[in-house]
Amino acid sequence: MAWVYLLVAGVLEVVWAFTMKQSHGFTNLKYSAITIVAMIASFGLLSVAMRTLPLGTAYTIWTGIGAVGAFLVGVTVLGEQLSAMRVGAAVLIVSGLVLMKLSAGE
């Protein structure tokens, strides 16, 4: 169950990163509120996952999901630049996440 909590926490990290961008420096109340709620939920679920998962594994996977997810949202929703180097970087992050998961032994 810890892995499910961690996955949801990572997705919520993408949500708060996107809504923080949409809040325009916390000037848009709706997106600001969503950002804060998603942040609290993401941190809360991460902390629950860390009860059983190793710190290095949980935190690395959480930030990796957030980084790759934010990259994908930026490219697909916000029209940010897509280049071979950025895709390569995302592939390396995902490769690291897979290795971290496999090394956890759970």
Side-chain angles (χ1 to χ4, degrees):
M1 199 63 189
W3 288 105
V4 173
Y5 292 140
L6 187 59
L7 176 64
V8 174
V11 170
L12 286 169
E13 187 180 7
V14 177
V15 170
W16 71 250
F18 172 72
T19 56
M20 182 184 289
K21 174 79 170 167
Q22 298 304 104
S23 77
H24 301 288
F26 290 104
T27 59
N28 181 307
L29 184 59
K30 177 180 103 176
Y31 285 110
S32 297
I34 294 169
T35 299
I36 292 166
V37 169
M39 279 180 167
I40 292 168
S42 180
F43 278 101
L45 289 171
L46 174 62
S47 71
V48 171
M50 286 177 140
R51 289 179 186 163
T52 56
L53 297 176
L55 166 68
T57 301
Y59 185 74
T60 301
I61 290 178
W62 180 70
T63 57
I65 292 169
V68 173
F71 164 70
L72 292 172
V73 168
V75 169
T76 59
V77 177
L78 301 175
E80 295 176 357
Q81 175 191 0
L82 180 64
S83 67
M85 191 175 294
R86 292 184 82 205
V87 170
V91 167
L92 287 172
I93 292 169
V94 171
S95 299
L97 297 179
V98 169
L99 288 173
M100 195 60 82
K101 166 70 170 99
L102 293 174
S103 74
E106 294 182 32

